[in-house]
Amino acid sequence: MAAGSHVTSKVPLFDGMNKIPGGLMLIPLILGSIVGTFAPGFLELGNFTTALFRDSALPLIGVLIFATGMQITLRTSGPVLATSGVLLLCKSIIPATIVVLLGQIVGIEGILGVSILALLVAMDNSNGGLWLAFTGRYGRERDRGAYIASAVNDGPFFSLLFLGVAGLADIPITLLIAAVIPLIAGIIVGNLDARWTEVMRPVPNIVIPFFAFALGTGINLGNVVTGGLSGILVGIVATLFTGTIAYFGYRWLLRRGKESGIGIASATTAGNAIATPAIVGAADPTFAPFVEVATAQVAAAVLVSAVLAPLLAAWVLKKQGGLRDAPVAGADDDVTDREVAADAAALGSRSDASALNTDTTPAPEADRDRDSDGDRRARGGDTA
């Protein structure tokens, strides 16, 4: 089929999912949780079925991280690191610090039936896959490359760090390093071979639905129901609280103007966070009595934040005029810079056209003058 040809779908599944912010990940995630809850035996069939639908999340996310790294050129590395730092500060460090301070005031039991463990785990990490899906649609290269923040805050590391400052936890630094190696490898390859970068550009649309489904199979809807109203409350509070901080980080620190709503898409809870309460309880037995309820609440927060954060981010972007499909790779300048450049280019084009008209307009008259001189000379010669 020729490139650029229009494809007509009998059932527009892909376009339908893309109409929902983050839908390319959210819908398969929900479908996976339904299958994992009501038909777990299907996931145990083995061979390719189990490998693709249950166990493919980490390998496919690794491919996505590698492909994302390939889109980061040396020119964009500075903005990527700046965006990653702001997200890490606003989504993990500030919220985790506030939750720990709250724990010192009210105790680890927390408030309104929500333990400090559940609050911390719901707030100090983010869903990197959903971030990549959302920024792949509405963000820039610097936003997609800021997956680094999710690579750092994913898992129990920040929870153990903030709860184990007294030496109760041993943070596996090697796992943090391993999480960013695919990104670094992608950056290196992408800067060496632009052709391969182009080949890998469609990877997000290919792998996101599959790893989202696989992640969803690990979310038992029974736990979400058990979490009940308190779990929904945790998800809403975590999304609104961390999303607000991330929004102002984008607006005040990164100065992204009408695109600041992109930061709200980071206000999610990673699927891996469901396992964090048990890890924390094993590291510090003081939290063991809260593990079961916290796990259910975090499971609910994963789904609630996965729905609420992209919807809220898209609403803010639309309201402020920043909602638009992602630009082509390399078009990662600030809005103002692009507008200035466009105006300058338009002005230059008008100037060039004016100069061209000035140069070419007299030409026909000059040619006619030369022709007239030649005719007169010819007639003079004939007369002679």
Side-chain angles (χ1 to χ4, degrees), residues 12 14 22 26 28 87 98 124 136 144 180 207 234 239 247 255 275 282 314 329:
F14 183 81
L26 178 60
L87 284 177
I98 293 175
D124 68 3
R144 295 187 288 276
V180 298
V207 303
V234 170
T239 300
Y247 170 82
R255 300 194 179 277

Side-chain angles (χ1 to χ4, degrees), residues 258 334-345:
K258 61 185 181 182
D334 292 335
V335 176
T336 303
D337 294 340
R338 291 201 313 276
E339 292 174 347
V340 171
D343 292 341

Side-chain angles (χ1 to χ4, degrees), residues 19-384:
K19 289 181 180 179
I20 302 173
L24 198 61
M25 178 172 180
L26 178 60
I27 293 176
L29 182 77
I30 295 174
L31 291 176
S33 65
I34 293 174
V35 173
T37 302
F38 299 106
F42 168 77
L43 303 171
E44 303 292 340
L45 289 177
N47 212 320
F48 299 121
T49 298
T50 300
L52 177 61
F53 293 112
R54 191 192 68 182
D55 300 335
S56 64
L58 289 182
L60 291 179
I61 290 176
V63 173
L64 179 60
I65 294 169
F66 183 87
T68 299
M70 295 185 74
Q71 311 303 320
I72 302 173
T73 64
L74 294 178
R75 182 180 63 83
T76 63
S77 58
V80 166
L81 292 177
T83 305
S84 300
V86 168
L87 284 177
L88 200 59
L89 175 68
C90 296
K91 180 59 181 76
S92 297
I93 297 176
I94 293 177
T97 300
I98 293 175
V99 171
V100 170
L101 291 176
L102 176 64
Q104 293 178 346
I105 297 174
V106 302
I108 61 175
E109 294 82 6
I111 54 176
L112 300 177
V114 180
S115 66
I116 292 300
L117 176 60
L119 278 176
L120 182 63
V121 173
M123 291 189 185
D124 68 3
N125 59 85
S126 57
N127 189 325
L130 187 57
W131 173 259
L132 287 172
F134 187 88
T135 57
R137 177 80 185 275
Y138 302 116
R140 303 181 181 280
E141 290 178 11
R142 69 185 72 177
D143 301 311
R144 295 187 288 276
Y147 150 83
I148 297 173
S150 295
V152 173
N153 70 18
D154 192 14
F157 310 121
F158 270 87
S159 298
L160 291 172
L161 176 64
F162 280 90
L163 292 176
V165 290
L168 297 174
D170 182 17
I171 304 172
I173 300 297
T174 54
L175 292 183
L176 288 175
I177 297 175
V180 298
I181 285 179
L183 184 74
I184 296 173
I187 294 174
I188 294 173
V189 174
N191 280 274
L192 293 176
D193 189 349
R195 172 59 181 161
W196 199 1
T197 300
E198 290 301 317
V199 171
M200 296 289 283
R201 197 174 302 283
V203 162
N205 287 338
I206 297 172
V207 303
I208 286 175
F210 291 97
F211 78 66
F213 187 95
L215 285 177
T217 61
I219 302 175
N220 191 308
L221 293 178
N223 290 336
V224 177
V225 173
T226 302
L229 183 60
S230 62
I232 295 174
L233 177 64
V234 170
I236 293 175
V237 170
T239 300
L240 295 179
F241 181 61
T242 61
T244 300
I245 298 175
Y247 170 82
F248 285 114
Y250 255 64
R251 177 167 288 275
W252 292 342
L253 299 179
L254 296 177
R255 300 194 179 277
R256 292 289 293 275
K258 61 185 181 182
E259 297 179 345
S260 300
I262 293 174
I264 300 174
S266 69
T268 54
T269 302
N272 293 342
I274 296 173
T276 299
I279 296 173
V280 173
D284 183 358
T286 304
F287 291 93
F290 306 100
V291 168
E292 185 175 357
V293 174
T295 298
Q297 291 170 337
V298 171
V302 170
L303 282 181
V304 170
S305 64
V307 174
L308 183 58
L311 290 176
L312 184 60
W315 179 79
V316 172
L317 284 171
K318 183 177 181 179
K319 188 176 180 63
Q320 298 185 344
L323 185 65
R324 51 133 183 82
D325 286 340
V328 297
D332 198 35
D333 298 324
D334 292 335
V335 176
T336 303
D337 294 340
R338 291 201 313 276
E339 292 174 347
V340 171
D343 292 341
L347 181 60
S349 298
R350 290 194 296 270
S351 300
D352 291 343
S354 176
L356 183 60
N357 291 334
T358 302
D359 293 339
T360 57
T361 300
E365 296 179 0
D367 291 342
R368 287 196 297 270
D369 290 343
R370 286 193 296 272
D371 292 342
S372 298
D373 292 341
D375 292 342
R376 284 194 296 271
R377 285 194 297 272
R379 286 195 299 273
D382 294 340
T383 303

